[in-house]
Amino acid sequence: MNLTFRNAHWWGMGGVALAATILLVVLFGPVLAHPNNYFFKAGGDALQSYYATAFYTLHDSGNRFTGMNYPFGEHFNYPNLQPLIAAVMALLERLGLPVGRYTVGITNMLALSSLVVTPVVMYAILRRTRLPVLYAGVLALLIGFMAPQVLRLDGHVSLSYACFVPMLWYCIIRIQETPRAWRWYVLFGLCSILTGAVMLYFLACGCFFLLGHVLVLAWQQPRMRPWLGRMLLAALLPLLLFRGYIWATDHVADRPPNPYGLTVYLSTLRTVFTPVLGPLHDWWRATWPSDDYNDEGFSYIGLVATATLLASVVLGVVAVVRRRQWQRLWRPALPLHLRTGLWAATLLLVLAFGIPFKWEWFSWVTDHSGPVKQFRSLGRFAWPFYYVATTYAAYALYRWWRYLRRRGRPQLAWLGAPLLLLWATEAWLQVSTKADQVMMGTGAHDFLDPSTSVLARLTWANRSVSEFQAIMPLPYYNMGTDKFDLSGSSNSIYQADKASAISGLPLLATYVSRASVGQAMQHIQLLSSPLVPKELLAHFPNNKPLLLLVTPDYLTEAEQRLVGLARLIVQAPEAALYELPIAALAATALAQERATAAALLPMLPVRAGGLQATTSAGVLVESFDKAADRRGRLSPGAWYQAKDGFSTLYDGPVPAPADTGRYEASVWINGKSDYGYGNMRVKLYDAKGQVGESVVDGRKTTEVLNGWVRVVVPFRLLPGVTRLEVLYETRDLLADDLLIRPVNTDVYYYVGEGKQRRLVKNTYSLTP
């Protein structure tokens, strides 16, 4: 009997794998035929995954990734390169197998292979939930192809492995069945670490899920309590090992402590219980419009599973009340692993909803939840709920079918068939919609083809890649600190990634999660005005020029200035290449500005507060010298507000004499605060009330000096405006040297006394 069961089990798994493979071929046939020719998405996180994996495979080793953030590089856990996969590929490359040039295809095939493995793992779980072979096989396919990770195929590729969460759940199930057997604890730990080496969220998901089981078992299963210590160790040890590994190998000490998104990237009732993709989603949103959608929180369990859960709750409560078996409210008659899994997954679902972090009166919890903050996309913790809820739905439907059959109501029993058909329809619509999306990105074979790179045209000018030390793309991008958000353009990112991966030249740009704030400030300072010395240049290992890669997109004034310092080498349709000497980048205008000031100041009248301006227009300087906080920028005294919200930096009359010209309001804020840079706004009022408002996102600033960043709001002074209000919205705000002036007027003044006396122009110090 046992042998027969095992044979049926293995034949069932093989059948599920075969059926999943056939479905995969039907859905993704062109990709499977030419995997290296398809970008699942030719931009965003997906492109960065292809690039980072390819660069590491071809040019790096160990735990250091040098492709971005030149000259510092990065710990290879932070770029989107799937460390375990990249490390294996790099090893194969060193052994002589040319896998690097096929990074796109390998990445695609690994992601798609998960669609075959996931139903197999789900089949094993469903069989342990006492479901028959054929039924378990069909439901395993439906659950696997509708998994929330499938939705990440054209986005964050490293999150698209649908098999990882059910694999970890299967280990937890076996731990509960045989709590004395150490092998399942060890296997869970190994699987957690390996999946975490692909994407950390899988490790966190599995470990938190097991912790949830520990809580539920301690509450509901007294006889399991002797084994809870083992489970707790299995849940915590992978997390501690990973944290210890990062502590020992990552030397960056200023990664952002409060990444954006903890109370934003959440699951909601809609993202879990209503369609999130395809025609049903479109119809649902048209019928019941809502902004309550966030793709980071997608974990849709399907209409059938949702209806099954609702019916189960209603029928269960009615039965409990009638029979007065109150313990059945928390201990329904289910297989142990399904009951504990439902409770544990529900606990994670509550976390995915952002509870209690999103509640304002629990802000103190958020403030002191440092490790949790690093998992800023809490919506991803809804994934276990998908697998448990759909498994429960499969179990409940089968039990109801058997119940009706035994009660002599076969006609009612077969009403389950339309439900399964609806389930299959939803799964097909969702996965086919995603398949259509990912198959739109053809032409990927050129990405790692050296002959198609713009760098190949350097030979036209008798130049070579070895003459340069790094590539600086324009439009420029620097993302990942949650403080700066210079997003470049899709062209500049694609062309820079392509050129860097092929040539091995690192990028003087950053697209890395939780990047060093201090290093990002030094990079962005390269775009600062000629009044700002460039600190990053001291870290360059040589004096080779930079290679500017400029795509035909809009360039900011700062970016145009860099192009003006460089010499054109190659002009091509996709991008132009310029040589930017380090000496040109290092030069400042301080000496010239001091000479200009020496000639001008004797002729300019001195106004109140010692100000001298180059026109008669009204100006205002607020240095906050009398503020309680003495952490000033040029002199003691600065505005400080710890709590989140708007700080009123100025509220008063328009600087006289007023005109209707172009003005700007600027302020320096501490660039190394624990929170983001928020936004700055200027409101204009006449006698009747507000008549205008200008807002600037602080993350777009490119002026960086001595740990401070300058945020500027341009505005036009409208006729009749008599009052200005300058507001800054952020948390932990330390602001100094507010300046309001017409853009055609320069303002000079002195700070300090005696030998410490310094000349300042437009809040920039011209003297050391």
Side-chain angles (χ1 to χ4, degrees):
M1 176 75 82
N2 190 36
L3 184 60
T4 303
F5 173 82
R6 288 185 177 180
N7 287 337
H9 178 71
W10 287 110
W11 276 106
M13 293 183 73
V16 169
L18 177 61
T21 302
I22 293 172
L23 286 172
L24 189 66
V25 171
V26 172
L27 286 162
F28 297 92
V31 178
L32 297 176
H34 305 283
N36 213 49
N37 192 38
Y38 283 87
F39 283 125
F40 283 175
K41 190 173 184 179
D45 289 337
L47 181 64
Q48 285 309 106
S49 181
Y50 294 130
Y51 160 69
T53 305
F55 188 97
Y56 181 88
T57 300
L58 294 168
H59 310 292
D60 280 333
S61 61
N63 59 24
R64 181 171 170 78
F65 173 72
T66 63
M68 288 183 283
N69 196 35
Y70 180 81
F72 305 109
E74 259 295 352
H75 189 287
F76 88 145
N77 188 74
Y78 289 92
N80 187 20
L81 55 67
Q82 306 179 69
L84 177 62
I85 294 171
V88 173
M89 290 177 61
L91 176 61
L92 295 176
E93 185 77 20
R94 304 302 174 267
L95 293 175
L97 295 176
V99 295
R101 61 180 298 184
Y102 300 106
T103 295
V104 174
I106 292 171
T107 301
N108 292 344
M109 292 299 291
L110 287 173
L112 291 179
S113 68
S114 176
L115 287 175
V116 175
V117 178
T118 305
V120 173
V121 179
M122 287 307 307
Y123 173 80
I125 291 173
L126 292 169
R127 289 289 287 149
R128 303 204 82 79
T129 315
R130 307 170 191 170
L131 298 180
V133 171
L134 181 60
Y135 180 75
V138 172
L139 268 296
L141 291 168
L142 298 184
I143 295 170
F145 276 82
M146 199 173 164
Q149 284 74 42
V150 176
L151 301 177
R152 309 313 293 259
L153 281 172
D154 65 338
H156 210 309
V157 182
S158 58
L159 292 172
S160 65
Y161 297 96
C163 58
F164 286 173
V165 174
M167 283 170 53
L168 294 171
W169 185 29
Y170 183 79
C171 291
I172 295 173
I173 292 172
R174 300 305 300 267
I175 286 173
Q176 292 177 90
E177 292 176 350
T178 55
R180 296 176 182 270
W182 276 102
R183 64 180 180 275
W184 291 108
Y185 298 94
V186 174
L187 187 60
F188 174 86
L190 290 175
C191 287
S192 297
I193 292 172
L194 291 175
T195 58
V198 175
M199 167 47 70
L200 178 59
Y201 274 97
F202 290 114
L203 182 150
C205 235
C207 292
F208 284 16
F209 195 27
L210 181 52
L211 285 174
H213 278 81
V214 170
L215 292 176
V216 174
L217 290 170
W219 167 37
Q220 294 189 0
Q221 297 291 125
R223 283 184 289 184
M224 290 289 291
R225 288 173 186 169
W227 317 110
L228 296 185
R230 293 185 179 187
M231 295 185 190
L232 188 63
L233 179 63
L236 293 178
L237 189 58
L239 290 171
L240 294 175
L241 287 175
F242 176 82
R243 188 67 190 92
Y245 163 72
I246 293 295
W247 176 83
T249 58
D250 182 20
H251 302 297
V252 175
D254 65 340
R255 299 193 185 276
N258 298 288
Y260 174 80
L262 183 70
T263 58
V264 177
Y265 300 140
L266 304 175
S267 290
T268 65
L269 292 175
R270 281 180 174 266
T271 61
V272 175
F273 299 109
T274 66
V276 297
L277 194 68
L280 282 176
H281 164 70
D282 299 336
W283 171 81
W284 193 282
R285 293 208 68 177
T287 307
W288 293 284
S290 173
D291 294 328
D292 194 18
Y293 276 94
N294 186 327
D295 56 2
E296 291 291 348
F298 286 170
S299 192
Y300 176 50
I301 66 173
L303 294 177
V304 174
T306 299
T308 302
L309 286 175
L310 286 174
S312 298
V313 170
V314 172
L315 294 175
V317 170
V318 170
V320 165
V321 171
R322 283 181 177 177
R323 301 172 185 174
R324 300 183 181 277
Q325 296 177 336
W326 307 111
Q327 73 279 6
R328 291 297 184 189
L329 285 173
W330 57 86
R331 291 191 62 181
L334 295 171
L336 175 64
H337 69 266
L338 196 51
R339 171 161 47 86
T340 56
L342 276 172
W343 276 109
T346 301
L347 290 176
L348 284 191
L349 186 63
V350 171
L351 177 64
F353 286 162
I355 298 173
F357 303 105
K358 68 178 181 180
W359 291 340
E360 187 175 349
W361 54 89
F362 275 89
S363 60
W364 59 274
V365 175
T366 306
D367 290 341
H368 296 88
S369 58
V372 176
K373 285 183 182 180
Q374 297 304 312
F375 297 104
R376 59 179 179 175
S377 186
L378 293 181
R380 296 170 185 172
F381 289 101
W383 295 340
F385 185 81
Y386 167 82
Y387 295 100
V388 179
T390 50
T391 300
Y392 170 77
Y395 175 80
L397 289 175
Y398 175 71
R399 297 291 294 181
W400 290 344
W401 179 81
R402 286 190 59 191
Y403 173 79
L404 292 172
R405 292 266 298 175
R406 290 178 177 179
R407 301 284 289 185
R409 299 179 180 178
Q411 297 83 0
L412 287 176
W414 285 106
L415 287 177
L419 293 178
L420 294 184
L421 183 60
L422 173 59
W423 198 337
T425 301
E426 276 204 284
W428 178 262
L429 288 174
Q430 183 164 301
V431 71
S432 63
T433 300
K434 185 57 61 177
D436 291 341
Q437 291 175 358
V438 303
M439 286 192 292
M440 294 173 64
T442 56
H445 59 77
D446 287 341
F447 183 58
L448 297 175
D449 183 354
S451 66
T452 64
S453 170
V454 67
L455 296 189
R457 306 189 188 194
L458 281 172
T459 57
W460 296 1
N462 294 319
R463 305 295 298 272
S464 68
V465 169
S466 62
E467 298 176 38
F468 304 91
Q469 60 177 305
I471 298 171
M472 186 174 187
L474 298 179
Y476 182 72
Y477 58 94
N478 197 301
M479 296 175 283
T481 61
D482 291 323
K483 292 177 179 288
F484 297 100
D485 184 19
L486 305 184
S487 52
S489 71
S490 59
N491 281 337
S492 68
I493 294 175
Y494 178 85
Q495 293 297 337
D497 285 356
K498 177 181 172 71
S500 175
I502 290 172
S503 67
L505 276 180
L507 295 176
L508 195 61
T510 300
Y511 193 144
V512 175
S513 297
R514 298 161 186 81
S516 162
V517 175
Q519 292 171 7
M521 293 177 76
Q522 292 184 56
H523 278 81
I524 290 171
Q525 193 179 61
L526 297 179
L527 299 171
S528 297
S529 72
L531 294 174
V532 176
K534 308 305 188 284
E535 302 170 24
L536 184 67
L537 305 185
H539 297 281
F540 284 0
N542 55 61
N543 288 321
K544 289 182 179 181
L546 299 177
L547 183 63
L548 289 189
L549 189 154
V550 185
T551 55
D553 299 291
Y554 168 78
L555 297 181
T556 66
E557 183 178 339
E559 291 166 344
Q560 293 175 27
R561 185 180 66 82
L562 288 180
V563 173
L565 297 174
R567 183 175 69 85
L568 179 65
I569 304 174
V570 171
Q571 182 69 60
E574 63 271 30
L577 300 178
Y578 291 80
E579 178 183 24
L580 177 58
I582 301 302
L585 193 55
T588 70
L590 290 172
Q592 180 182 346
E593 288 292 344
R594 285 195 291 266
T596 301
L600 272 178
L601 292 181
M603 298 182 292
L604 300 180
V606 180
R607 305 185 187 184
L611 302 181
Q612 293 176 271
T614 54
T615 72
S616 60
V619 299
L620 181 143
V621 174
E622 174 57 75
S623 59
F624 303 106
D625 289 344
K626 297 180 181 179
D629 196 297
R630 308 309 293 165
R631 294 175 293 169
R633 175 177 159 265
L634 298 177
S635 60
W639 173 279
Y640 180 68
Q641 178 171 300
K643 65 180 182 180
D644 194 13
F646 287 99
S647 296
T648 303
L649 302 181
Y650 177 75
D651 185 0
V654 173
D659 63 11
T660 57
R662 293 171 52 232
Y663 270 69
E664 69 175 29
S666 64
V667 72
W668 293 85
I669 68 170
N670 178 22
K672 296 185 177 181
S673 67
D674 286 343
Y675 295 87
Y677 295 157
N679 66 82
M680 181 178 174
R681 60 190 64 203
V682 174
K683 295 184 178 182
L684 309 178
Y685 298 88
D686 63 10
K688 297 181 180 179
Q690 184 175 337
V691 294
E693 181 177 21
S694 298
V695 183
V696 165
D697 186 345
R699 299 174 302 168
K700 304 298 183 182
T701 182
T702 57
E703 288 296 297
V704 179
L705 182 59
N706 297 329
W708 296 73
V709 298
R710 183 172 180 253
V711 182
V712 182
V713 180
F715 64 96
R716 183 171 291 278
L717 203 56
L718 303 174
V721 170
T722 58
R723 184 167 69 90
L724 296 178
E725 191 176 15
V726 181
L727 305 170
Y728 208 105
E729 182 185 20
T730 190
R731 184 173 181 180
D732 194 32
L733 173 66
L734 183 66
D736 204 1
D737 297 321
L738 171 69
L739 172 64
I740 302 174
R741 68 180 182 98
V743 295
N744 65 346
T745 302
D746 292 323
V747 182
Y748 295 89
Y749 57 97
Y750 289 91
V751 297
E753 304 249 347
K755 294 183 179 180
Q756 302 298 320
R757 192 168 185 253
R758 289 181 287 170
L759 176 62
V760 178
K761 176 187 177 181
N762 298 337
T763 68
Y764 290 88
S765 177
L766 299 184
T767 52

